């Protein structure tokens, strides 16, 4: 209609429309990345990510690498922590510029934080007499000059390509030595690169001959003695045992320790020992050799043909300011390297990456903390789970009141997320001291809210009132005995996976004893699969009468059957999923045993899988089996007819895609799986330190306001904007907007992501005086 004065009035109505295509949207429900704030702070008050390579100079400064935070750090003689290289971003940049602005640790792989022998972003470190710092940065050797600038001295354009760099050492003439690709290489002060030891192939040979003709196996630690002999921590710990090898000044190589079968002990002959995964190495002024096998918790000294233990070899919680002989230090992964150094006064510095600390053992044998407070990756209790720090989240469960419990493995805690989203700690060394040294492996619950937790060598129950009960294994006992008797008197060698069936029976796997066992309602224990020997049994065999190999994850179904993960071959990650039928026979469910990624749309038994041990398993109400194909960065699903497909994850190693469809999202290493009471699939990403959810129903959208009114002069300029707010509980949710017919006078963006504030204008430039109406539909 016409209006006096030539004005027009426009009314806008906003409607919402659901979209079936929005099903299976993914979102994050717990976890956030920590940020480093320790520069210039007292070193002992700073949470450290991962202490790896260690070095000391002659002025009382100690240096170390932190690959988790992509930093090189220094502790001054005054105990202040400083960043000397790295901007916190994994990459390779910055040459010629200040080192603190450079990207380092380009080869950093999330897989290394889940116990794999993966590439290490930051390896060894060494300091020259002029206080120039050299460190292994993936496939490069980089130098931090005394003036703080960074440069590359090996690897990269213009120099021969090299493998992952591990231990570093300097000789008295200023030559720099480093390990890479089964070799020890040397760089002269003028930049010439040569091979000092190792013929190239992986192996162990050559003692008594020239080091350049010898075979080495993934050497890591390097150290010189006062006579210019170079010592090498050699051996990958898998194909070839760890040895300490000596390269004399004339180039001849020999073995001085390792290769035996005895555990490290005082007085033992060095050549009789099994050194585990020895990687750290140092030599003092008297020629004594210090060896550190962080993953095994061995720290020892060789002198005069005899061994002296510097720390305890018995796993226990970290204790500060105690005699080192009573303390236990260890690494967090099998390929920790170069985590030991000596200063001119004879103090020993050692990386305890399990506890996030750089430790010092002084000349009197007292162990103290030099840097780190042990709290990296832990925080947020009492607040929203989305703002909490978690490390290595694994198995997940939900109890009837809606509380979610999960294993926060690297923090040695069971944590709980309330229905309102608040995170707390339910189980830790504070209320159960054994968690300081035992690994968390499995978790389940019952309809009464009791939570069952499988540790390294025992199964416990946490009641709703906080009481902790032992179900299997008395403390201090390890083994696989007790079948037919009372479960509390039985022994476990190693915890694998845990599941409870509908009748209340508990099933757990023991990978080291190659068994799956059941605790019945009356508290008795028996073996339901495996004979104690490793072997691969055919389908149809009676599970309790044939071997199984390193079973881990277990999941009971509602029919009386049991799914489990088995590791029958030597191919990395090529585990298979099998099933014990209700009458006790074996059946293969998924996996061709060859690894890789393949098979979507076809039979699951022919598919290539790359599962992490203790992978997540979950069944939906239709009988579809979901599992975490962790090293393929996917969650996959097997239909009751045996056909496999990808449910979540696009195969990219990242943590991205919230608000989008699960198949388009990126995961690092999915592990724990659980359907919650709403039908949402919860996924713990052990490398991304997050818990994500794939929603069963489209997430809601809210819009405010629901109606807008514009008034403008016909034929005139656009109106000032009015704000339309589009929100959803799911951040990053894509929405689109459509205008009703004839609403070309509406000016706005046609799409966006939640949360979003949209500016809406009316354009009267082509309108005659009158009243106009339009509807905006948001999908």
């Amino acid at each position: 209609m016409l209006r006096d004065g030539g004005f027009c009035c426009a009314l806008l109505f906003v409607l919402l429309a659901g979209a079936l295509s929005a099903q299976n949207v993914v979102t994050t429900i717990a976890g956030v990345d920590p940020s480093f704030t320790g520069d210039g702070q007292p070193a002992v008050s700073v949470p450290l990510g991962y202490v790896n390579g260690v070095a000391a100079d002659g002025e009382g400064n100690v240096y170390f690498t932190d690959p988790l935070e992509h930093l090189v750090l220094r502790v001054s003689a005054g105990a202040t922590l400083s960043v000397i290289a790295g901007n916190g971003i994994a990459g390779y940049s910055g040459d010629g510029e200040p080192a603190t602005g450079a990207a380092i640790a380009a080869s950093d792989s999330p897989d290394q934080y889940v116990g794999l022998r993966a590439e290490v972003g930051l390896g060894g470190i060494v300091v020259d007499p002029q206080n120039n710092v050299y460190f292994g940065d993936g496939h490069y050797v980089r130098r931090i000059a005394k003036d703080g600038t960074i440069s590359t001295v090996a690897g990269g354009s213009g120099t021969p390509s090299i493998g992952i760099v591990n231990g570093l050492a300097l000789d008295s003439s200023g030559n720099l030595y480093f390990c890479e690709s089964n070799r020890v290489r040397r760089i002269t002060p003028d930049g010439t690169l040569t091979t000092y030891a190792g013929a190239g192939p992986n192996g162990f040979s050559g003692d008594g001959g020239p080091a350049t003709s010898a075979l080495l196996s993934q050497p890591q630690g390097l150290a010189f003695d006062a006579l210019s002999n170079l010592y090498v921590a050699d051996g990958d710990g898998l194909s070839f045992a760890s040895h300490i090898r000596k390269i004399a000044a004339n180039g001849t190589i020999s073995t001085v320790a390792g290769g035996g079968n005895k555990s490290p002990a005082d007085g033992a002959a060095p050549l009789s020992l099994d050194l585990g995964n020895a990687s750290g190495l140092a030599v003092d002024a008297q020629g004594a050799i210090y060896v550190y096998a962080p993953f095994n918790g061995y720290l020892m000294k060789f002198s005069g043909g005899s061994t002296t233990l510097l720390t305890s070899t018995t796993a226990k919680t970290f204790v500060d300011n105690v005699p080192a002989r009573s303390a236990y230090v260890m690494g967090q992964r099998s390929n920790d390297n170069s985590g030991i150094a000596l200063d001119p006064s004879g103090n020993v510095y050692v990386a305890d990456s399990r506890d996030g600390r750089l430790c010092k053992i002084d000349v009197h044998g007292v162990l103290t903390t030099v840097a780190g407070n042990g709290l990296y990756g832990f925080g947020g209790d009492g607040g929203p789970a989305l703002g909490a720090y978690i490390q290595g989240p694994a198995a997940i469960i939900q109890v009837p009141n809606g509380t979610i419990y999960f294993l926060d493995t690297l923090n040695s805690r069971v944590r709980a997320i309330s229905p309102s989203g608040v995170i707390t700690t339910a189980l830790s060394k504070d209320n159960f001291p054994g968690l300081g040294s035992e690994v968390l492996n499995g978790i389940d619950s019952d309809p009464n809210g009791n939570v069952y937790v499988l540790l390294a060598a025992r199964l416990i129950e946490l009641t709703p009132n906080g009481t902790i009960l032992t179900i299997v294994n008395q403390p201090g006992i390890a083994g696989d005995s007790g079948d037919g008797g009372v479960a509390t008197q039985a022994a476990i060698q190693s915890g694998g996976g845990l599941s409870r069936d509908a009748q209340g029976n508990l099933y757990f796997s023991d990978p080291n004893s190659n068994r799956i066992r059941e605790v019945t309602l009356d508290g008795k224990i028996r073996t339901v699969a495996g004979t104690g020997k490793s072997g691969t049994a055919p389908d149809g065999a009676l599970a309790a009468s044939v071997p199984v190999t390193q079973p881990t994850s277990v999941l009971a179904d509602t029919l009386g059957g049991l799914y489990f993960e088995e590791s029958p071959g030597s191919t990395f990650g090529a585990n298979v999923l099998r099933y014990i039928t209700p009458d006790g026979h074996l059946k293969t469910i998924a996996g061709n045993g060859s690894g890789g990624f393949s098979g979507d749309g076809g039979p699951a038994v022919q598919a290539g899988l790359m599962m992490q041990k203790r992978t997540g398993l979950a069944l939906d109400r239709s009988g579809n089996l979901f599992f975490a194909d962790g090293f393929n960065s996917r969650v996959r699903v097997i239909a009751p007819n045996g056909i496999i497909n990808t449910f979540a994850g696009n195969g990219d190693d990242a943590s991205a895609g919230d608000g989008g469809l699960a198949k388009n999202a990126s995961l690092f290493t999915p592990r724990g799986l659980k359907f919650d009471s709403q039908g949402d699939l919860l996924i713990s990403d052990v490398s991304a330190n997050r818990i994500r959810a794939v929603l069963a129903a489209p997430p809601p959208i809210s819009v405010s306001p629901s109606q807008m009114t514009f008034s403008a002069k016909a034929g005139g300029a656009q109106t000032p904007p009015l704000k339309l707010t589009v929100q959803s509980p799911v951040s990053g949710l894509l929405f689109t907007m459509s205008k009703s017919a004839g609403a070309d006078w509406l000016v706005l963006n046609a799409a966006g992501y939640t949360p979003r504030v949209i500016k809406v204008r009316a354009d009267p430039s082509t309108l005659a005086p009158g009243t106009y109406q339009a509807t905006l539909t948001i999908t």
Side-chain angles (χ1 to χ4, degrees):
M1 70 178 182
L2 297 177
R3 298 193 53 172
D4 293 341
F7 280 83
C8 59
C9 180
L11 301 177
L12 173 64
F13 302 94
V14 183
L15 300 177
L16 294 175
L20 291 178
S21 61
Q23 288 180 344
N24 296 337
V25 165
V26 68
T27 186
T28 298
I29 66 167
V32 68
D33 290 329
S35 58
F36 184 81
T37 57
D39 194 36
Q41 301 299 312
V44 294
S45 66
V46 176
L48 301 175
Y50 208 104
V51 185
N52 201 25
V54 181
D57 66 18
E59 300 177 2
N61 302 299
V62 185
Y63 304 77
F64 63 95
T65 59
D66 184 343
L68 190 59
E69 299 188 276
H70 318 295
L71 300 173
V72 180
L73 300 127
R74 176 180 62 212
V75 182
S76 70
T80 298
L81 190 70
S82 301
V83 175
I84 63 169
N87 59 12
I89 299 172
Y92 173 70
S93 69
D95 276 1
E97 302 293 334
T100 52
I104 61 177
S107 63
D108 191 50
S109 165
D111 292 345
Q112 63 189 290
Y113 305 110
V114 291
L116 294 185
R117 300 183 67 84
E119 293 185 345
V120 180
L122 295 175
I125 186 170
V126 70
V127 187
D128 70 15
Q130 291 76 43
N131 286 346
N132 300 297
V133 179
Y134 298 83
F135 66 97
D137 183 5
H139 294 276
Y140 308 93
V141 178
R142 305 188 78 178
R143 175 179 182 263
I144 308 167
K146 192 173 182 179
D147 65 2
T149 58
I150 193 170
S151 59
T152 299
V153 298
S157 60
T159 62
S161 61
I162 58 177
I164 292 292
V165 176
N166 286 306
L168 282 81
L170 287 157
D171 66 16
S172 58
S173 300
N175 298 299
L176 177 66
Y177 300 74
F178 64 91
C179 300
E180 62 93 17
S181 297
N182 304 320
R183 293 183 174 94
V184 177
R185 309 295 290 273
R186 176 174 64 185
I187 306 173
T188 61
D190 65 3
T192 301
L193 178 67
T194 58
T195 297
Y196 191 72
N202 190 47
F204 175 76
S205 70
D207 278 358
T212 51
S213 300
L215 294 184
L216 308 178
S217 177
Q218 299 297 309
Q220 295 200 60
L222 295 177
F224 275 98
D225 67 12
L227 301 176
S228 298
N229 300 302
L230 178 63
Y231 294 84
V232 184
D234 176 35
D236 60 15
L238 295 174
S239 301
F240 298 93
S242 292
H243 297 79
I244 306 302
R245 306 185 78 177
K246 173 184 174 182
I247 304 172
N250 65 3
T252 301
I253 192 169
S254 60
T255 297
V256 298
N261 55 17
K262 293 183 179 180
S263 297
D266 287 335
L271 286 169
S272 71
L273 298 180
D274 177 351
L275 299 178
N277 292 95
S279 59
L281 198 57
V283 183
D284 67 18
Q286 291 72 43
I289 304 167
Y290 296 74
V291 175
Y292 184 35
F295 193 64
N296 308 93
Y298 299 158
L299 180 59
M300 65 205 95
K301 171 182 174 181
F302 302 142
S303 180
S306 183
T307 301
T308 301
L309 297 178
L310 301 182
T311 54
S312 173
T313 58
T314 302
K316 60 184 73 172
T317 57
F318 181 85
V319 182
D320 203 3
N321 198 26
V322 295
R325 288 289 299 241
S326 66
Y328 182 72
V329 296
M330 74 170 296
Q332 194 163 288
R333 60 182 183 229
S334 59
N335 57 329
D336 281 8
N337 70 84
S338 305
I340 183 173
L342 288 164
D343 69 14
S345 300
N347 300 299
V348 179
Y349 297 89
V350 60
D352 181 353
S353 59
R354 180 195 70 163
D355 300 297
R357 297 173 187 267
L358 174 62
C359 299
K360 173 184 176 180
I361 302 174
D362 66 20
V363 294
H364 304 293
V366 176
L367 182 142
T368 55
T369 296
V370 172
N373 62 8
L375 296 179
Y376 179 86
F378 173 72
D381 272 5
L386 270 172
Y389 297 153
I390 56 183
Q391 273 200 102
I396 315 171
I397 55 128
Q398 186 181 46
V399 296
N401 70 5
T403 300
I404 295 167
Y405 291 83
F406 68 94
L407 304 182
D408 191 355
T409 60
L410 299 185
N411 283 318
S412 297
R413 293 171 181 261
V414 175
R415 299 179 80 179
I417 303 172
S418 72
S420 63
V422 174
I423 191 169
T424 55
T425 293
L427 193 69
S428 71
K429 65 181 180 181
D430 295 330
N431 60 346
F432 189 69
L435 277 184
S437 58
E438 286 200 57
V439 178
L440 292 158
N441 292 312
I443 189 169
D444 211 330
S445 62
D446 64 24
N448 296 318
N450 298 299
V451 175
Y452 303 90
V453 182
L454 181 64
L455 305 177
R458 52 184 149 173
L459 174 59
I460 62 173
E461 176 185 354
L462 175 65
T463 68
N465 66 9
T467 301
I468 299 170
L469 307 172
T470 297
I471 304 297
V472 182
N473 192 254
Q474 296 297 327
I477 303 172
D480 57 5
S481 63
D483 273 4
V486 178
T488 53
Q489 301 301 314
I492 303 172
Q493 281 198 44
S494 61
L498 176 66
S499 183
R500 181 185 179 277
D501 69 15
Q503 289 70 44
N505 302 298
L506 290 168
Y507 298 85
F508 69 90
S509 62
D510 189 339
N512 284 4
S513 71
N514 300 301
R515 297 176 189 269
I516 298 173
R517 303 173 79 182
E518 176 190 16
V519 180
T520 57
L521 280 174
D522 59 0
K524 299 294 181 64
I525 191 168
R526 68 185 184 104
T527 294
V528 297
T531 60
K533 295 182 179 180
S534 177
T536 303
D539 282 1
L542 192 63
S545 302
V546 294
V548 294
T549 302
Q550 294 185 4
T552 53
S553 302
V554 292
L555 176 66
D557 66 13
T558 58
L559 303 175
L562 188 72
Y563 294 91
F564 70 97
E565 179 185 11
E566 187 178 15
S567 306
S570 59
T571 303
F572 166 72
N575 303 335
V576 298
L577 295 178
R578 305 194 78 182
Y579 182 64
I580 303 173
T581 63
D583 62 358
H585 293 84
L586 289 174
K587 179 182 178 182
T588 300
I589 299 296
N592 60 20
S594 299
F597 174 76
S598 66
D600 272 6
V605 292
Q606 298 175 12
L609 316 177
M610 288 289 287
M611 294 183 293
Q612 187 186 355
K613 290 183 178 180
R614 300 175 177 84
T615 193
L617 301 174
L619 283 164
D620 69 10
R621 294 170 183 171
S622 300
N624 298 294
L625 177 66
F626 294 74
F627 69 95
D629 197 357
F631 297 130
N632 281 320
S633 300
R634 292 173 169 91
V635 175
R636 302 175 80 177
V637 58
I638 304 167
N641 64 2
I643 301 301
I644 189 171
N645 281 292
T646 294
F647 176 74
N650 57 16
D652 293 337
D653 283 343
S655 184
D658 276 4
L661 299 182
K663 281 188 178 180
N664 299 331
S666 298
L667 306 169
F668 269 121
T669 314
R671 187 164 173 182
L673 299 180
K674 180 67 178 179
F675 281 99
D676 68 11
S677 58
Q678 304 301 314
D680 303 333
L681 181 62
L682 308 181
I683 305 171
S684 69
D685 191 328
V686 70
S687 297
N689 298 323
R690 284 168 170 76
I691 298 176
R692 303 175 79 177
V694 180
L695 306 181
I701 289 179
S702 62
V703 181
S704 178
S706 60
Q707 183 175 319
M708 292 180 172
T709 302
F710 302 91
S711 181
K713 186 173 183 180
Q718 291 184 7
T719 64
L722 297 180
K723 294 180 179 180
L724 183 69
T725 302
V726 184
Q727 298 185 84
S728 171
V730 175
S731 296
L733 184 68
L734 174 66
F735 63 88
T736 58
M737 296 180 289
S738 59
K739 297 180 284 188
S740 57
D744 294 339
W745 50 267
L746 269 180
V747 180
L748 75 167
N749 293 326
Y753 294 89
T754 58
R756 181 79 179 271
V757 176
I758 298 171
K759 295 179 179 179
V760 184
R761 294 179 173 88
D763 181 359
S765 61
T766 62
L767 299 180
T771 299
Y772 298 84
Q773 293 185 356
T775 300
L776 179 66
T777 303
I778 297 180
T779 303

